Amino acid sequence: SMVIRDENGQAIEKARVSISWKSGLEPSKELETDRRGALVLEGLARGPIRIEVEHPDFSSGEANWILREPGKEIELALTLSRGGTVEV
């Protein structure tokens, strides 16, 4: 799972999360966080990905991640600040 929070630790509901593979071989995925700021990342292909996060109340942010074990739950927490950065 992944959790999107603001700099005060509050969950960001309805953040749009776009996941794309750097290889370009897999189609991008578009997901949205729930009321807890969480989303589940299951069934994704192995390899380096780019994560982009958008929400109307925040500037866009992005992060890079490497999926090493496809099919397993991913524990990843991201913080989106009003300045538009994502911290991993």
Coordinates of all heavy atoms in Angstrom, one line a residue:
S1 N 0.8 -1.2 0.0 CA 0.0 0.0 0.0 C 0.9 1.2 0.0 O 2.1 1.2 0.3 CB -0.9 0.0 1.2 OG -0.2 0.0 2.4
M2 N 0.3 2.3 -0.4 CA 1.0 3.6 -0.4 C 0.1 4.6 0.4 O -1.1 4.6 0.3 CB 1.2 4.1 -1.8 CG 1.9 5.5 -1.9 SD 1.9 6.2 -3.6 CE 2.7 4.9 -4.5
V3 N 0.7 5.5 1.1 CA 0.0 6.5 1.9 C 0.5 7.9 1.5 O 1.7 8.1 1.4 CB 0.1 6.3 3.4 CG1 -0.7 7.4 4.1 CG2 -0.4 5.0 3.8
I4 N -0.4 8.8 1.1 CA -0.1 10.2 0.8 C -0.6 11.1 1.9 O -1.7 11.0 2.3 CB -0.8 10.6 -0.6 CG1 -0.5 9.6 -1.7 CG2 -0.4 12.0 -1.0 CD1 0.9 9.5 -2.1
R5 N 0.4 11.9 2.4 CA 0.1 12.8 3.5 C 0.6 14.2 3.2 O 1.5 14.3 2.4 CB 0.7 12.3 4.8 CG 0.2 10.9 5.3 CD 0.7 10.5 6.6 NE 0.4 9.2 7.0 CZ -0.8 8.8 7.5 NH1 -1.7 9.8 7.7 NH2 -1.1 7.6 7.8
D6 N 0.1 15.2 3.9 CA 0.6 16.5 3.8 C 1.8 16.7 4.8 O 2.1 15.7 5.6 CB -0.4 17.6 4.0 CG -1.1 17.6 5.3 OD1 -0.5 17.1 6.3 OD2 -2.1 18.3 5.5
E7 N 2.4 17.8 4.9 CA 3.5 18.0 5.7 C 3.2 18.0 7.2 O 4.0 17.9 8.1 CB 4.3 19.3 5.4 CG 3.5 20.6 5.5 CD 2.8 21.0 4.3 OE1 2.9 20.4 3.2 OE2 2.1 22.0 4.3
N8 N 1.9 18.1 7.5 CA 1.4 18.0 8.9 C 1.0 16.6 9.3 O 0.5 16.3 10.4 CB 0.3 18.9 9.2 CG 0.7 20.4 9.0 OD1 1.7 20.8 9.4 ND2 -0.1 21.1 8.3
G9 N 1.2 15.6 8.4 CA 0.9 14.2 8.7 C -0.6 13.9 8.4 O -1.0 12.7 8.7
Q10 N -1.4 14.8 7.9 CA -2.8 14.5 7.6 C -2.9 13.8 6.3 O -2.2 14.1 5.3 CB -3.6 15.8 7.5 CG -3.6 16.6 8.8 CD -4.2 15.8 10.0 OE1 -5.3 15.3 9.8 NE2 -3.5 15.7 11.1
A11 N -3.8 12.8 6.2 CA -4.0 12.1 5.0 C -4.6 13.0 3.9 O -5.4 13.9 4.2 CB -5.0 10.9 5.3
I12 N -4.2 12.7 2.7 CA -4.7 13.5 1.5 C -5.7 12.6 0.8 O -5.2 11.7 0.1 CB -3.6 14.0 0.6 CG1 -2.7 14.9 1.4 CG2 -4.2 14.8 -0.6 CD1 -1.5 15.4 0.7
E13 N -7.0 12.8 0.9 CA -8.0 12.1 0.3 C -8.1 12.5 -1.2 O -8.0 13.7 -1.5 CB -9.3 12.2 1.0 CG -10.4 11.4 0.4 CD -11.7 11.6 1.2 OE1 -11.8 12.3 2.2 OE2 -12.7 10.9 0.8
K14 N -8.4 11.6 -2.1 CA -8.7 11.9 -3.5 C -7.5 12.5 -4.2 O -7.7 13.3 -5.2 CB -9.9 12.7 -3.7 CG -11.2 12.0 -3.2 CD -12.4 12.7 -3.6 CE -13.6 11.9 -3.1 NZ -14.9 12.4 -3.5
A15 N -6.3 12.1 -3.8 CA -5.1 12.5 -4.5 C -5.0 11.6 -5.7 O -5.2 10.4 -5.6 CB -3.8 12.4 -3.7
R16 N -4.7 12.1 -6.9 CA -4.6 11.3 -8.1 C -3.1 10.8 -8.2 O -2.2 11.7 -8.2 CB -5.0 12.0 -9.4 CG -5.2 11.1 -10.5 CD -5.6 11.8 -11.8 NE -4.3 12.1 -12.5 CZ -4.1 13.1 -13.2 NH1 -5.1 14.0 -13.4 NH2 -3.0 13.3 -13.8
V17 N -2.9 9.5 -8.3 CA -1.6 9.0 -8.3 C -1.4 8.3 -9.7 O -2.2 7.4 -10.0 CB -1.4 8.0 -7.2 CG1 0.0 7.4 -7.3 CG2 -1.6 8.6 -5.8
S18 N -0.4 8.6 -10.4 CA -0.1 8.0 -11.7 C 1.2 7.3 -11.6 O 2.2 7.8 -11.1 CB 0.0 9.1 -12.8 OG 0.5 8.6 -14.0
I19 N 1.2 6.0 -12.0 CA 2.4 5.2 -11.9 C 2.7 4.8 -13.3 O 1.9 4.2 -14.1 CB 2.1 3.9 -11.1 CG1 1.7 4.3 -9.7 CG2 3.3 3.0 -11.1 CD1 1.3 3.2 -8.8
S20 N 4.0 5.0 -13.7 CA 4.5 4.7 -15.0 C 5.8 4.0 -14.9 O 6.6 4.3 -14.0 CB 4.6 5.9 -16.0 OG 5.4 6.8 -15.4
W21 N 6.0 3.0 -15.8 CA 7.3 2.3 -15.8 C 8.3 3.0 -16.7 O 8.0 3.4 -17.8 CB 7.1 0.8 -16.3 CG 6.4 0.0 -15.2 CD1 7.1 -0.9 -14.4 CD2 5.1 0.0 -14.8 NE1 6.2 -1.5 -13.5 CE2 5.0 -0.9 -13.7 CE3 4.0 0.7 -15.1 CZ2 3.8 -1.2 -13.0 CZ3 2.8 0.5 -14.4 CH2 2.7 -0.5 -13.4
K22 N 9.5 3.1 -16.1 CA 10.6 3.8 -16.9 C 10.9 3.1 -18.2 O 11.4 3.7 -19.1 CB 11.8 4.0 -16.0 CG 11.6 5.0 -14.9 CD 12.8 5.3 -14.2 CE 12.6 6.4 -13.1 NZ 13.8 6.8 -12.5
S23 N 10.7 1.8 -18.2 CA 11.0 1.0 -19.4 C 10.0 1.3 -20.6 O 10.3 1.1 -21.7 CB 10.9 -0.5 -19.1 OG 9.5 -0.9 -18.8
G24 N 8.8 1.8 -20.2 CA 7.8 2.1 -21.2 C 7.1 0.9 -21.7 O 6.2 0.9 -22.6
L25 N 7.4 -0.3 -21.2 CA 6.8 -1.6 -21.6 C 5.5 -1.9 -21.0 O 4.7 -2.7 -21.5 CB 7.8 -2.7 -21.4 CG 9.1 -2.6 -22.1 CD1 10.1 -3.8 -21.7 CD2 9.0 -2.6 -23.6
E26 N 5.2 -1.3 -19.9 CA 3.9 -1.5 -19.2 C 3.0 -0.3 -19.3 O 3.5 0.8 -19.3 CB 4.2 -1.8 -17.7 CG 5.0 -3.0 -17.4 CD 4.2 -4.3 -17.6 OE1 3.0 -4.3 -17.5 OE2 4.9 -5.3 -18.0
P27 N 1.7 -0.5 -19.4 CA 0.8 0.7 -19.5 C 0.8 1.4 -18.1 O 1.0 0.8 -17.1 CB -0.6 0.1 -19.8 CG -0.5 -1.4 -19.4 CD 1.0 -1.7 -19.5
S28 N 0.6 2.7 -18.2 CA 0.5 3.5 -16.9 C -0.7 3.1 -16.2 O -1.7 2.7 -16.8 CB 0.5 5.0 -17.3 OG 1.7 5.4 -17.9
K29 N -0.7 3.3 -14.9 CA -1.8 3.1 -14.0 C -2.2 4.4 -13.4 O -1.4 5.2 -12.9 CB -1.5 2.1 -12.9 CG -1.2 0.7 -13.5 CD -1.7 -0.3 -12.6 CE -1.4 -1.7 -13.2 NZ -2.5 -2.5 -13.4
E30 N -3.5 4.7 -13.3 CA -4.1 5.9 -12.6 C -4.9 5.4 -11.4 O -5.8 4.6 -11.6 CB -5.0 6.7 -13.6 CG -4.3 7.2 -14.8 CD -3.4 8.4 -14.5 OE1 -3.6 9.1 -13.5 OE2 -2.4 8.5 -15.2
L31 N -4.6 5.8 -10.2 CA -5.2 5.4 -9.0 C -5.6 6.7 -8.2 O -5.1 7.8 -8.5 CB -4.3 4.5 -8.2 CG -3.8 3.3 -8.9 CD1 -2.6 2.7 -8.1 CD2 -4.8 2.3 -9.1
E32 N -6.5 6.5 -7.2 CA -6.9 7.6 -6.4 C -6.9 7.2 -4.9 O -7.3 6.0 -4.6 CB -8.3 8.1 -6.7 CG -8.7 9.3 -6.0 CD -10.1 9.9 -6.5 OE1 -10.1 10.6 -7.5 OE2 -11.1 9.5 -5.9
T33 N -6.4 8.0 -4.0 CA -6.3 7.7 -2.6 C -7.7 7.7 -2.0 O -8.6 8.4 -2.4 CB -5.4 8.6 -1.8 OG1 -5.8 9.9 -2.0 CG2 -3.9 8.5 -2.3
D34 N -7.9 6.8 -0.9 CA -9.1 6.8 -0.2 C -9.1 7.8 0.9 O -8.2 8.7 1.0 CB -9.4 5.4 0.3 CG -8.3 4.9 1.3 OD1 -7.6 5.7 1.9 OD2 -8.3 3.7 1.6
R35 N -10.1 7.8 1.8 CA -10.2 8.8 2.9 C -9.0 8.8 3.8 O -8.8 9.7 4.6 CB -11.5 8.7 3.6 CG -11.7 7.4 4.4 CD -13.0 7.3 5.0 NE -13.2 5.9 5.6 CZ -12.7 5.5 6.7 NH1 -11.9 6.3 7.4 NH2 -12.9 4.3 7.1
R36 N -8.3 7.6 3.9 CA -7.1 7.5 4.7 C -5.8 7.9 4.0 O -4.7 7.8 4.5 CB -6.9 6.1 5.2 CG -8.1 5.6 6.1 CD -8.0 4.1 6.4 NE -8.1 3.4 5.1 CZ -7.3 2.4 4.7 NH1 -6.2 2.1 5.4 NH2 -7.5 1.8 3.6
G37 N -6.0 8.4 2.8 CA -4.8 8.8 2.0 C -4.1 7.6 1.4 O -2.9 7.8 1.0
A38 N -4.7 6.5 1.4 CA -4.0 5.2 1.1 C -4.5 4.7 -0.3 O -5.6 5.0 -0.7 CB -4.3 4.2 2.1
L39 N -3.7 3.9 -0.9 CA -4.1 3.1 -2.1 C -3.3 1.8 -2.1 O -2.2 1.8 -1.5 CB -4.0 3.9 -3.4 CG -2.6 4.5 -3.7 CD1 -1.7 3.6 -4.5 CD2 -2.9 5.8 -4.5
V40 N -3.8 0.8 -2.7 CA -3.1 -0.5 -2.8 C -2.5 -0.7 -4.1 O -3.1 -0.4 -5.1 CB -4.2 -1.6 -2.5 CG1 -3.5 -3.0 -2.6 CG2 -4.8 -1.5 -1.2
L41 N -1.2 -1.0 -4.1 CA -0.4 -1.3 -5.3 C -0.2 -2.8 -5.4 O 0.8 -3.3 -4.9 CB 0.9 -0.6 -5.2 CG 0.9 0.9 -5.0 CD1 2.3 1.5 -4.8 CD2 0.2 1.6 -6.1
E42 N -1.1 -3.5 -6.0 CA -1.0 -4.9 -6.2 C -0.9 -5.3 -7.7 O -1.5 -4.6 -8.5 CB -2.1 -5.6 -5.5 CG -2.1 -5.5 -4.0 CD -3.3 -6.2 -3.4 OE1 -4.4 -6.3 -4.0 OE2 -3.1 -6.7 -2.3
G43 N -0.3 -6.4 -8.0 CA -0.2 -6.9 -9.3 C 0.6 -6.0 -10.3 O 0.3 -6.0 -11.5
L44 N 1.6 -5.3 -9.8 CA 2.4 -4.5 -10.7 C 3.6 -5.2 -11.1 O 4.1 -6.1 -10.4 CB 2.8 -3.2 -9.9 CG 1.6 -2.3 -9.4 CD1 2.1 -1.1 -8.7 CD2 0.7 -1.9 -10.5
A45 N 4.1 -4.8 -12.3 CA 5.3 -5.5 -12.9 C 6.6 -5.0 -12.2 O 6.6 -3.8 -11.7 CB 5.4 -5.2 -14.3
R46 N 7.6 -5.8 -12.1 CA 8.9 -5.5 -11.5 C 9.6 -4.4 -12.3 O 9.4 -4.3 -13.5 CB 9.7 -6.8 -11.5 CG 11.1 -6.6 -11.0 CD 11.9 -7.9 -11.3 NE 11.1 -9.0 -10.8 CZ 11.5 -9.9 -9.9 NH1 12.6 -9.8 -9.3 NH2 10.7 -10.9 -9.5
G47 N 10.4 -3.6 -11.6 CA 11.2 -2.6 -12.3 C 11.1 -1.2 -11.8 O 10.3 -0.9 -10.9
P48 N 11.9 -0.3 -12.3 CA 11.8 1.1 -11.9 C 10.5 1.8 -12.4 O 10.2 1.6 -13.5 CB 13.1 1.7 -12.5 CG 13.5 0.8 -13.5 CD 12.9 -0.5 -13.3
I49 N 9.9 2.5 -11.4 CA 8.7 3.2 -11.8 C 8.8 4.7 -11.4 O 9.7 5.1 -10.6 CB 7.4 2.7 -11.1 CG1 7.6 2.7 -9.6 CG2 7.1 1.2 -11.6 CD1 6.3 2.4 -8.8
R50 N 8.0 5.5 -12.0 CA 7.8 6.9 -11.6 C 6.5 7.1 -11.0 O 5.5 6.6 -11.6 CB 8.0 7.8 -12.9 CG 7.9 9.2 -12.6 CD 8.1 10.0 -13.9 NE 8.0 11.4 -13.8 CZ 9.0 12.2 -13.7 NH1 10.2 11.7 -13.8 NH2 8.9 13.5 -13.5
I51 N 6.4 7.7 -9.9 CA 5.1 8.0 -9.2 C 4.8 9.5 -9.3 O 5.7 10.3 -8.8 CB 5.1 7.5 -7.8 CG1 5.5 6.0 -7.7 CG2 3.8 7.8 -7.1 CD1 5.9 5.5 -6.4
E52 N 3.7 9.9 -9.8 CA 3.3 11.3 -9.9 C 2.0 11.5 -9.1 O 1.1 10.7 -9.2 CB 3.1 11.8 -11.3 CG 4.4 11.7 -12.1 CD 4.3 12.1 -13.5 OE1 3.7 13.2 -13.8 OE2 4.7 11.4 -14.4
V53 N 2.0 12.5 -8.2 CA 0.9 12.7 -7.4 C 0.3 14.1 -7.6 O 1.1 15.1 -7.7 CB 1.3 12.6 -5.9 CG1 0.0 12.8 -5.0 CG2 1.9 11.3 -5.6
E54 N -1.0 14.2 -7.8 CA -1.7 15.5 -8.0 C -2.9 15.6 -7.1 O -3.6 14.6 -6.9 CB -2.1 15.6 -9.5 CG -1.0 15.7 -10.4 CD -1.4 15.9 -11.9 OE1 -2.6 15.8 -12.1 OE2 -0.6 16.1 -12.7
H55 N -3.2 16.8 -6.6 CA -4.4 17.1 -5.9 C -4.6 18.6 -6.1 O -3.7 19.4 -6.1 CB -4.2 16.8 -4.4 CG -5.4 16.9 -3.6 ND1 -5.9 18.1 -3.1 CD2 -6.3 15.9 -3.2 CE1 -7.0 17.9 -2.5 NE2 -7.2 16.6 -2.5
P56 N -5.9 19.0 -6.2 CA -6.2 20.4 -6.4 C -5.7 21.4 -5.4 O -5.4 22.5 -5.7 CB -7.7 20.5 -6.5 CG -8.2 19.1 -6.6 CD -7.1 18.2 -6.2
D57 N -5.5 20.9 -4.1 CA -5.0 21.8 -3.0 C -3.5 21.8 -2.9 O -3.0 22.5 -2.0 CB -5.7 21.4 -1.7 CG -7.2 21.5 -1.7 OD1 -7.7 22.4 -2.5 OD2 -7.8 20.8 -0.9
F58 N -2.8 21.0 -3.7 CA -1.4 20.9 -3.6 C -0.8 21.0 -5.0 O -1.4 20.7 -6.0 CB -1.0 19.6 -3.0 CG -1.4 19.4 -1.6 CD1 -2.7 18.9 -1.3 CD2 -0.6 19.7 -0.5 CE1 -3.2 18.7 0.0 CE2 -1.0 19.5 0.8 CZ -2.3 19.0 1.0
S59 N 0.5 21.4 -5.0 CA 1.2 21.4 -6.3 C 1.6 19.9 -6.6 O 1.6 19.1 -5.7 CB 2.5 22.2 -6.2 OG 2.2 23.5 -6.0
S60 N 1.8 19.6 -7.9 CA 2.2 18.3 -8.3 C 3.5 17.8 -7.6 O 4.4 18.7 -7.4 CB 2.3 18.2 -9.8 OG 1.1 18.5 -10.4
G61 N 3.7 16.6 -7.4 CA 4.9 16.0 -6.9 C 5.2 14.7 -7.6 O 4.4 14.1 -8.3
E62 N 6.4 14.2 -7.4 CA 6.8 13.0 -8.1 C 7.9 12.3 -7.3 O 8.6 12.9 -6.4 CB 7.3 13.2 -9.5 CG 8.5 14.1 -9.6 CD 8.8 14.5 -11.0 OE1 7.9 14.9 -11.7 OE2 10.0 14.4 -11.3
A63 N 8.1 11.0 -7.5 CA 9.1 10.2 -6.8 C 9.4 9.0 -7.7 O 8.7 8.7 -8.6 CB 8.6 9.7 -5.5
N64 N 10.6 8.5 -7.6 CA 11.0 7.3 -8.3 C 11.1 6.1 -7.3 O 11.5 6.3 -6.1 CB 12.4 7.5 -8.9 CG 12.3 8.5 -10.0 OD1 11.5 8.4 -10.9 ND2 13.1 9.5 -10.0
W65 N 10.8 4.9 -7.7 CA 10.8 3.7 -6.9 C 11.1 2.5 -7.7 O 10.9 2.5 -8.9 CB 9.4 3.6 -6.3 CG 9.2 2.5 -5.3 CD1 8.7 1.3 -5.5 CD2 9.6 2.6 -3.9 NE1 8.7 0.6 -4.3 CE2 9.3 1.3 -3.3 CE3 10.2 3.5 -3.1 CZ2 9.5 1.0 -2.0 CZ3 10.5 3.2 -1.8 CH2 10.1 2.0 -1.2
I66 N 11.7 1.5 -7.1 CA 12.0 0.3 -7.8 C 11.1 -0.8 -7.2 O 11.3 -1.1 -6.0 CB 13.5 -0.1 -7.7 CG1 14.3 1.0 -8.4 CG2 13.7 -1.4 -8.4 CD1 15.8 0.8 -8.4
L67 N 10.3 -1.4 -8.0 CA 9.5 -2.6 -7.6 C 10.3 -3.8 -7.7 O 10.7 -4.2 -8.8 CB 8.2 -2.7 -8.4 CG 7.2 -1.6 -8.3 CD1 6.1 -1.8 -9.3 CD2 6.7 -1.4 -6.9
R68 N 10.6 -4.5 -6.6 CA 11.5 -5.6 -6.6 C 10.8 -7.0 -6.5 O 11.3 -8.0 -7.0 CB 12.5 -5.5 -5.5 CG 13.4 -4.3 -5.6 CD 14.5 -4.3 -4.6 NE 15.2 -3.1 -4.6 CZ 16.2 -2.7 -5.4 NH1 16.5 -3.5 -6.4 NH2 16.8 -1.5 -5.3
E69 N 9.6 -7.0 -5.9 CA 8.9 -8.2 -5.7 C 7.4 -8.0 -6.2 O 6.6 -7.7 -5.4 CB 8.9 -8.7 -4.3 CG 10.3 -9.0 -3.8 CD 10.3 -9.5 -2.4 OE1 9.6 -10.4 -2.1 OE2 11.1 -9.0 -1.6
P70 N 7.1 -8.3 -7.5 CA 5.8 -8.1 -8.0 C 4.8 -9.1 -7.2 O 5.2 -10.1 -6.8 CB 5.9 -8.5 -9.4 CG 7.3 -8.8 -9.7 CD 8.1 -8.8 -8.5
G71 N 3.6 -8.6 -7.0 CA 2.6 -9.4 -6.4 C 2.6 -9.2 -4.9 O 1.6 -9.6 -4.2
K72 N 3.6 -8.7 -4.3 CA 3.6 -8.4 -2.8 C 3.2 -7.0 -2.5 O 3.3 -6.1 -3.3 CB 5.0 -8.7 -2.3 CG 5.4 -10.1 -2.3 CD 6.5 -10.3 -1.3 CE 6.8 -11.8 -1.1 NZ 7.7 -12.1 -0.1
E73 N 2.6 -6.9 -1.3 CA 2.2 -5.5 -0.9 C 3.4 -4.6 -0.7 O 4.4 -5.1 -0.2 CB 1.4 -5.6 0.4 CG 0.8 -4.3 0.8 CD -0.1 -4.4 1.9 OE1 -1.1 -5.1 1.8 OE2 0.1 -3.7 2.9
I74 N 3.3 -3.4 -1.2 CA 4.4 -2.5 -1.1 C 4.1 -1.5 0.0 O 3.0 -0.9 0.0 CB 4.6 -1.7 -2.4 CG1 4.8 -2.7 -3.6 CG2 5.7 -0.6 -2.4 CD1 4.5 -2.1 -4.9
E75 N 5.0 -1.3 0.9 CA 4.8 -0.3 2.0 C 5.6 0.9 1.6 O 6.8 0.9 1.7 CB 5.3 -0.9 3.3 CG 4.4 -2.0 3.9 CD 3.0 -1.6 4.2 OE1 2.8 -0.4 4.6 OE2 2.1 -2.4 4.1
L76 N 4.9 1.9 1.2 CA 5.6 3.2 0.8 C 4.8 4.3 1.3 O 3.6 4.4 1.0 CB 5.7 3.2 -0.8 CG 6.2 4.4 -1.4 CD1 7.7 4.6 -1.0 CD2 6.1 4.3 -2.9
A77 N 5.4 5.2 2.0 CA 4.7 6.4 2.5 C 5.3 7.7 1.9 O 6.5 7.8 1.9 CB 4.8 6.5 4.1
L78 N 4.5 8.5 1.3 CA 4.9 9.7 0.7 C 4.3 10.9 1.3 O 3.1 10.9 1.8 CB 4.5 9.7 -0.8 CG 5.0 8.6 -1.7 CD1 4.5 8.7 -3.1 CD2 6.5 8.6 -1.7
T79 N 5.0 12.0 1.4 CA 4.5 13.3 2.0 C 4.5 14.3 0.9 O 5.6 14.6 0.3 CB 5.4 13.7 3.1 OG1 5.5 12.7 4.1 CG2 4.9 15.0 3.8
L80 N 3.3 14.9 0.6 CA 3.2 15.9 -0.4 C 3.1 17.3 0.3 O 2.2 17.5 1.1 CB 2.0 15.6 -1.2 CG 1.7 16.5 -2.4 CD1 2.8 16.5 -3.4 CD2 0.3 16.2 -3.0
S81 N 4.0 18.2 0.0 CA 3.9 19.5 0.6 C 3.2 20.5 -0.3 O 3.1 20.2 -1.5 CB 5.3 20.0 1.0 OG 6.0 20.3 -0.2
R82 N 2.8 21.5 0.2 CA 2.1 22.6 -0.6 C 3.1 23.2 -1.6 O 2.7 23.8 -2.5 CB 1.5 23.6 0.3 CG 0.4 23.1 1.1 CD -0.6 24.1 1.6 NE -1.6 23.5 2.4 CZ -2.8 23.2 1.9 NH1 -3.1 23.3 0.6 NH2 -3.7 22.6 2.7
G83 N 4.4 23.0 -1.4 CA 5.4 23.5 -2.3 C 5.6 22.6 -3.5 O 6.4 22.9 -4.4
G84 N 4.9 21.4 -3.5 CA 5.0 20.6 -4.7 C 6.1 19.5 -4.7 O 6.4 19.1 -5.7
T85 N 6.5 19.1 -3.5 CA 7.6 18.1 -3.5 C 7.0 16.8 -2.9 O 6.1 16.9 -2.0 CB 8.8 18.5 -2.7 OG1 8.4 18.8 -1.4 CG2 9.5 19.7 -3.4
V86 N 7.5 15.7 -3.3 CA 7.2 14.4 -2.7 C 8.4 13.9 -2.1 O 9.5 13.8 -2.7 CB 6.6 13.4 -3.7 CG1 6.4 12.1 -3.1 CG2 5.4 13.9 -4.4
E87 N 8.3 13.5 -0.8 CA 9.5 13.0 -0.1 C 9.2 11.5 0.2 O 8.2 11.1 0.6 CB 9.7 13.7 1.3 CG 9.9 15.2 1.1 CD 9.9 15.9 2.4 OE1 9.8 15.2 3.5 OE2 10.0 17.1 2.4
V88 N 10.2 10.7 -0.2 CA 10.1 9.2 0.1 C 10.9 8.9 1.4 O 12.0 9.3 1.6 CB 10.7 8.4 -1.1 CG1 10.6 7.0 -0.8 CG2 10.0 8.8 -2.4

